[in-house]
Amino acid sequence: MNYRKTLLAVSIVASLCASGVLYAQDAAQGGPASQSRADKAKAKELATVTVVGIRDSEAESLALKKDAASHVEVVTAEDIGKLPAKNVADTLQRLPGVNISSSSASEGGFDESDRVSLRGTAPSLTQTLVNGHSVGTGDWFVLSQVQTVGRSVSYTLLPSEIVSQVVVHKTSEARIVEGGSAGSVDIITRKPLEFAKPVTAEASIGGVYSDLPGDTKPQFSGLFNWKNDANTVGVLVQAFYEKRSLQRNGQEIVGGYSQIGANDPIAVAHPDLAGVYYPNLTGAALFTQQRERKGGVIDFEIKPTDNLTLDLSGFYSKLKADNYNRNYLMWASQFVPSGAGLQPGYTVSNGVLTGATFAPVAGSTTPYGVYDQISRPGASSESKYLTLDADWRVTDHFDLKGQIGTTRGSGASPTQDVIELGTAVGAGANWMMRGIGQPTNWNLGGDNSSPSGIYPQAGWIFGGQGIKVKDKEDWAQFDGELSFDGGALTSLQFGGRYAKHERSNPFEVAQGPNWASDWQNPAAYPTSHQNYPGDFGSSLGGSFPSDIWYYTPGQLAQIDAQFANRDPVSRFYFNDIYKVQEKDSAAYVQLNWESGIASGNAGVRYVKTDETIGYTSTAPDAEASSVTGPITGSAFGDYYWNVYKHSYGKLLPSANLKFDLNDQWVARFAASQTMTRPDYSALAGSVSADDLTHTGSGGNPKLKPLISTNFDAAVEWYFAPRGLLSAGVYAMNLKDYVSFGNQVRSFKDLQATQNAGHDVYSDYLISVPTNVNGKVRGVELNYIQPIGDNFGVQANYTYADGHATGDKPLQGTSKNTYNVSGYFENQRFNARVSYTYRSQFYAGVSRTDTYFQQGIGNLAASFGVNITDWMALSLDAMNLNKPKLKYYTQNAAYGKQPYAFYDNGRQYYLNLRFKL
């Protein structure tokens, strides 16, 4: 059997067995027998027939999985916009070994999947590609722009409408672009010459209803494809638009847990409370947002000769994400240490003051609460790319492909209108914690429903302005394949790639109060206001303030215009400024072979990376390649701009072995080494050093790339055209995994230098990201069962056990993940119900504590009816079980304590689809 024809042949057989109604993308499936071998090669590369219906799509996906040379999972689209999800991540979470998360920093989760990770690892260890190339990305949330800046892609920018097929590579091949230590996700888009008909037109129009905000917003997607009768010229145009409202009800303990000092008045009066911790800044957080996603795809494909195909493809997606976050907080650190008004009956558990009542104190000027209102108009993220591909079949046995491309991503926070106000002066407060599974019950005295009790003297004005993070890459690559007739060797693949990548945030102004204004005068603030939803507290299942007042975004903008200092020089915030440039060169060779029941590939990829990392510090870094400074003028102090240069080369071998034991049984084995470069914020985080204590914190430009040594084995039983029972095991040994620790580094001691009159460099203990080791071991089980002609069920389970050096947790490792779904489909109706669950996982570091997201399950359902041959109606429901996102923090001193709780409500999508 010829390796070059395998995927094409199986795709044809699968589509015939499925008996689907083909509106083929793949002209090789519907074209004449005399169709050129160039078309067949393209069909092999894309390996997809877009089919109508759940059953046909499932049969196609399994056929492609079965025939693949390596261990993959495949999802094929049914019709435009008919993936069982609203972005690509929603669908991938239902595959074995795949996890999703709905946030990328410490902002907490939302109602839409945002990040994808594989096999119990962090999202940064999963490479996301589009048509085999990288894609620039951006984040709309400010912390993901300047503090937690990873290498993962935001899937909120990748709507399901653009997808022809998604291939999840769980084992590596030398030909795949490096970057995914845990694996790669390749999103394959449609191409003009792969459609069966000269003209194809499809459209979807509808709306999305979100139950917490209680409104409906429009959505639209459309596709038009034209090609000539000779199948030599084609143009595809796609567009998508979606607007929706988002509301998240939450409780957050943003101040962590503070400790009562032995000399604090409360400890003097109550010695049993000395050394006890208490929750600080427990807040009722209401987040609202208007999301508007729009963009499209344009693709022009031409075959000037039978053996040459050229393709020009462009993609654009922008997410407008204006948002408003309100957090009404109990400010325990203001009143607990004094002990004033503490009533009998307080409770202590595991060293934590879990319940207490503090009575009002007459004449007190202590604010028992503080209120943060943060409006972010203009927040957005963006992704786009432009590629030019050439596919030249030089001879019947030799192919050459070339690609040049450019991609850009950005995340912007142009404005943050913020006011922080003290409140509930001397009004008393109480709380009762209920463990990590339920929100804390708490209350503040005074009037929560109006701004009558504001106390600006205890407040502040903060918030970064003018932030626009840029992510860009330009690349060129070529790939060749030499095919052999006869013998065990089927083909030799080889190629090279050069890319220049940059991620940077060049500017930020951190506003503060204008001390020449009257910002501390309560009478200077508006008296009109709005209020939280009346059911705010009941939505989360707790008892805490709900009818809380707030200013409108317009009022906040007016307040900051009147009271804020946004001077671009004195308020320049150098701590969030960074620039990482990488020049990546790669070359590979891969040998493909087949003999009897055995087949596989083996290859090696060599990667060389030249890094130039720019970052700021409050003292010059003695190990930097160059240092500029001190740079003066900022109210945040003098700073230095450091540039660190670093180069490394890595040889990444890979091998895949497959046994087709018979028509139904397949066994697979794989081994490889893969690489992921460190996150941008880990490399270029601002370094702050204290001359008094000789301590500090910051990034670490000397981090090494993570190298994972991987082993994989699986057995698959395809007992029916739509049936599969499989089991697999995997192991990843992670060398130079990035964790956090302390490091001794040399900096210029500014205070000692001033005293000595000459440069003095001292050792500082800096808390920075460091390279450690880790490992992940896991098991995957998958079962897909057709039931008669119209029903079917799917179930899969993934076990992952991951740890870093010192038995520390690995970010993103859920020990147990499972998915269960069932469907019905006939010529007229289709329905699907799916439930996905992942157990708790380590989510990151908050202040000095680690924090975890608790286990969560999501229920989704879809229903469709074919009204005519060209029109269908669909209803999709997401988060039907109203899952609550729950987080807890963990510390050796006080164990597990609640951190945050969120409710995002349900979402319903109703769409009418047309196709010609």
Side-chain angles (χ1 to χ4, degrees):
M1 185 187 297
N2 191 306
Y3 174 84
R4 301 181 56 81
K5 300 178 181 177
T6 303
L7 289 179
L8 175 61
V10 172
S11 183
I12 294 172
V13 171
S15 60
L16 290 175
C17 291
S19 299
V21 180
L22 307 184
Y23 67 99
Q25 284 186 26
D26 193 332
Q29 311 301 328
S34 59
Q35 193 172 24
S36 72
R37 289 188 62 175
D39 279 346
K40 294 183 179 181
K42 183 173 285 296
K44 183 210 88 169
E45 198 67 30
L46 290 169
T48 179
V49 177
T50 305
V51 293
V52 177
I54 299 172
R55 293 168 294 172
D56 294 351
S57 181
E58 191 172 83
E60 178 69 8
S61 297
L62 289 182
L64 296 173
K65 173 182 173 65
K66 179 182 179 182
D67 193 65
S70 58
H71 191 175
V72 301
E73 304 292 344
V74 183
V75 177
T76 55
E78 303 167 20
D79 282 313
I80 179 173
K82 280 188 66 179
L83 278 171
K86 294 305 154 189
N87 72 34
V88 178
D90 285 329
T91 292
L92 295 180
Q93 70 172 321
R94 299 184 177 97
L95 297 174
V98 178
N99 287 126
I100 61 96
S101 58
S102 55
S103 62
S104 60
S106 58
E107 71 270 30
F110 296 99
D111 62 2
E112 184 176 6
S113 302
D114 184 49
R115 253 59 180 185
V116 169
S117 57
L118 299 178
R119 293 183 159 179
T121 60
S124 285
L125 273 60
T126 295
Q127 171 91 309
T128 296
L129 307 170
V130 177
N131 297 323
H133 63 76
S134 54
V135 57
T137 190
D139 291 283
W140 60 263
F141 185 63
V142 63
L143 292 184
S144 300
Q145 295 166 355
V146 296
Q147 290 186 17
T148 307
V149 188
R151 291 185 181 265
S152 58
V153 168
S154 174
Y155 278 69
T156 58
L157 291 166
L158 301 174
S160 60
E161 287 85 352
I162 69 171
V163 173
S164 167
Q165 178 190 109
V166 184
V167 181
V168 179
H169 294 273
K170 293 182 175 178
T171 60
S172 185
E173 296 183 50
R175 63 182 178 85
I176 299 174
V177 176
E178 76 283 348
S181 290
S184 299
V185 176
D186 193 5
I187 301 167
I188 299 172
T189 63
R190 296 168 165 88
K191 296 297 178 183
L193 298 184
E194 296 160 7
F195 285 77
K197 298 184 296 184
V199 176
T200 301
E202 303 174 11
S204 172
I205 187 169
V208 52
Y209 173 79
S210 302
D211 69 349
L212 282 185
D215 64 8
T216 301
K217 298 294 183 181
Q219 59 177 9
F220 166 81
S221 64
L223 175 150
F224 178 81
N225 190 82
W226 172 88
K227 68 174 186 175
N228 65 357
D229 292 336
N231 201 43
T232 58
V233 180
V235 179
L236 178 148
V237 179
Q238 248 184 301
F240 53 85
Y241 175 85
E242 178 190 290
K243 189 173 184 178
R244 68 186 184 91
S245 299
L246 185 151
Q247 177 179 318
R248 186 181 73 179
N249 299 339
Q251 181 184 106
E252 301 171 339
I253 303 179
V254 298
Y257 291 82
S258 302
Q259 189 175 27
I260 296 173
N263 296 322
D264 288 344
I266 191 174
V268 173
H270 304 274
D272 59 315
L273 293 179
V276 168
Y277 291 82
Y278 60 92
N280 189 29
L281 295 175
T282 303
L286 173 64
F287 179 94
T288 54
Q289 185 177 52
Q290 290 290 321
R291 291 190 180 185
E292 182 184 74
R293 181 171 60 198
K294 59 184 178 181
V297 175
I298 297 179
D299 199 296
F300 176 68
E301 193 173 20
I302 184 172
K303 294 181 62 177
T305 65
D306 285 345
N307 65 340
L308 177 64
T309 302
L310 303 176
D311 182 81
L312 180 66
S313 179
F315 166 79
Y316 175 79
S317 179
K318 182 170 184 177
L319 179 68
K320 294 182 178 180
D322 292 11
N323 62 89
Y324 186 9
N325 192 41
R326 289 134 285 196
N327 206 351
Y328 189 77
L329 301 145
M330 178 176 59
W331 202 356
S333 63
Q334 292 292 302
F335 59 84
V336 168
S338 72
L342 177 63
Q343 302 297 295
Y346 58 82
T347 58
V348 176
S349 177
N350 196 31
V352 175
L353 186 59
T354 56
T357 297
F358 288 80
V361 178
S364 171
T365 58
T366 298
Y368 280 54
V370 64
Y371 192 9
D372 290 347
Q373 299 171 70
I374 307 171
S375 172
R376 302 183 181 97
S380 67
S381 57
E382 185 177 278
S383 178
K384 55 188 175 182
Y385 67 76
L386 181 67
T387 60
L388 176 62
D389 290 84
D391 186 348
W392 179 28
R393 188 165 190 80
V394 183
T395 71
D396 286 347
H397 296 85
F398 184 39
D399 272 348
L400 278 179
K401 297 180 181 180
Q403 182 184 79
I404 56 173
T406 181
T407 184
R408 298 289 186 269
S410 65
S413 293
T415 304
Q416 293 190 85
D417 294 317
V418 181
I419 188 65
E420 183 177 78
L421 298 166
T423 189
V425 174
N430 63 78
W431 74 87
M432 177 57 68
M433 299 172 65
R434 302 187 295 162
I436 63 173
Q438 300 180 84
T440 295
N441 291 332
W442 65 277
N443 193 41
L444 277 181
D447 182 11
N448 300 321
S449 62
S450 78
S452 60
I454 64 172
Y455 189 59
Q457 297 93 318
W460 195 250
I461 297 174
F462 62 89
Q465 316 291 313
I467 300 170
K468 188 168 184 179
V469 175
K470 299 177 182 179
D471 183 36
K472 61 182 181 180
E473 181 171 301
D474 301 314
W475 75 91
Q477 72 178 65
F478 78 93
D479 300 274
E481 183 171 9
L482 181 63
S483 302
F484 307 112
D485 288 334
L489 300 182
T490 56
S491 70
L492 177 68
Q493 293 176 273
F494 57 92
R497 186 176 191 270
Y498 175 81
K500 184 177 180 180
H501 195 109
E502 180 180 306
R503 178 71 72 96
S504 64
N505 179 43
F507 180 79
E508 181 179 346
V509 168
Q511 69 176 1
N514 179 358
W515 293 98
S517 70
D518 199 22
W519 77 276
Q520 290 187 313
N521 180 6
Y525 288 82
T527 57
S528 61
H529 61 276
Q530 297 182 5
N531 293 84
Y532 279 24
D535 63 349
F536 176 81
S538 62
S539 168
L540 287 169
S543 174
F544 44 89
S546 60
D547 190 30
I548 300 167
W549 70 274
Y550 63 86
Y551 291 133
T552 66
Q555 288 174 308
L556 284 183
Q558 183 179 2
I559 289 170
D560 278 7
Q562 184 176 357
F563 296 142
N565 177 6
R566 293 177 175 174
D567 180 72
V569 177
S570 65
R571 302 302 299 181
F572 181 72
Y573 193 61
F574 57 83
N575 289 288
D576 285 345
I577 307 306
Y578 63 89
K579 184 176 183 179
V580 178
Q581 289 182 316
E582 293 173 339
K583 296 179 181 179
D584 305 321
S585 305
Y588 75 91
V589 61
Q590 178 173 311
L591 188 64
N592 306 298
W593 59 276
E594 182 176 348
S595 179
I597 65 170
S599 61
N601 59 65
V604 63
R605 186 178 187 92
Y606 178 76
V607 180
K608 185 176 186 296
T609 300
D610 298 317
E611 291 178 337
T612 302
I613 303 165
Y615 55 100
T616 62
S617 64
T618 54
D621 189 342
E623 298 182 81
S625 304
S626 65
V627 179
T628 302
I631 302 171
T632 62
S634 172
F636 300 97
D638 298 344
Y639 70 95
Y640 294 81
W641 178 252
N642 307 275
V643 175
Y644 184 85
K645 295 185 178 182
H646 183 215
S647 297
Y648 52 85
K650 300 295 179 183
L651 200 63
L652 305 174
S654 62
N656 292 274
L657 179 61
K658 174 187 174 186
F659 293 96
D660 290 298
L661 304 176
N662 56 35
D663 289 342
Q664 295 183 334
W665 287 88
V666 175
R668 302 181 187 275
F669 304 91
S672 66
Q673 282 194 325
T674 49
M675 182 184 80
T676 295
R677 299 174 182 92
D679 285 349
Y680 301 108
S681 55
L683 289 169
S686 174
V687 178
S688 175
D690 188 311
D691 291 336
L692 182 63
T693 62
H694 283 188
T695 61
S697 63
N700 184 0
K702 294 180 288 184
L703 287 172
K704 300 176 183 178
L706 184 153
I707 302 296
S708 180
T709 302
N710 314 299
F711 301 95
D712 183 279
V715 59
E716 302 161 357
W717 178 29
Y718 297 87
F719 56 84
R722 291 183 288 116
L724 170 67
L725 179 63
S726 67
V729 295
Y730 62 89
M732 291 183 283
N733 295 319
L734 309 174
K735 184 178 183 296
D736 293 323
Y737 178 82
V738 177
S739 186
F740 286 86
N742 294 326
Q743 186 180 90
V744 176
R745 299 174 67 177
S746 177
F747 289 98
K748 183 179 179 180
D749 189 324
L750 299 181
Q751 184 173 341
T753 296
Q754 184 176 357
N755 294 337
H758 59 82
D759 287 349
V760 176
Y761 286 85
S762 303
D763 288 340
Y764 291 72
L765 185 64
I766 306 295
S767 176
V768 295
T770 58
N771 287 121
V772 297
N773 293 326
K775 63 180 180 180
V776 183
R777 303 289 185 267
V779 177
E780 295 174 348
L781 304 174
N782 194 13
Y783 177 54
I784 301 175
Q785 174 68 62
I787 302 174
D789 293 333
N790 304 110
F791 293 89
V793 295
Q794 302 177 12
N796 60 68
Y797 168 76
T798 302
Y799 171 82
D801 183 23
H803 300 279
T805 300
D807 203 32
K808 293 182 178 180
L810 290 181
Q811 186 174 352
T813 302
S814 287
K815 186 159 287 188
N816 300 289
T817 302
Y818 64 83
N819 302 275
V820 180
S821 65
Y823 66 84
F824 166 82
E825 182 183 50
N826 62 20
Q827 293 297 319
R828 179 67 63 183
F829 300 100
N830 65 80
R832 187 199 315 253
V833 178
S834 301
Y835 181 79
T836 299
Y837 175 83
R838 69 177 299 186
S839 61
Q840 71 173 36
F841 62 93
Y842 168 50
V845 176
S846 176
R847 298 170 180 84
T848 59
D849 298 342
T850 58
Y851 74 99
F852 296 76
Q853 180 175 325
Q854 295 190 57
I856 185 170
N858 295 81
L859 180 66
S862 61
F863 174 79
V865 56
N866 296 318
I867 300 172
T868 68
D869 290 341
W870 51 271
M871 182 169 60
L873 183 69
S874 68
L875 174 66
D876 297 300
M878 313 292 286
N879 301 307
L880 274 175
N881 57 328
K882 295 195 71 173
K884 304 296 189 298
L885 291 161
K886 302 176 183 180
Y887 300 81
Y888 68 87
T889 186
Q890 186 167 346
N891 184 289
Y894 49 74
K896 297 179 181 179
Q897 301 298 334
Y899 177 75
F901 301 84
Y902 302 109
D903 175 21
N904 288 286
R906 305 182 181 97
Q907 299 77 42
Y908 302 90
Y909 296 79
L910 183 66
N911 286 281
L912 193 61
R913 293 186 171 90
F914 308 88
K915 66 176 182 176
L916 299 175

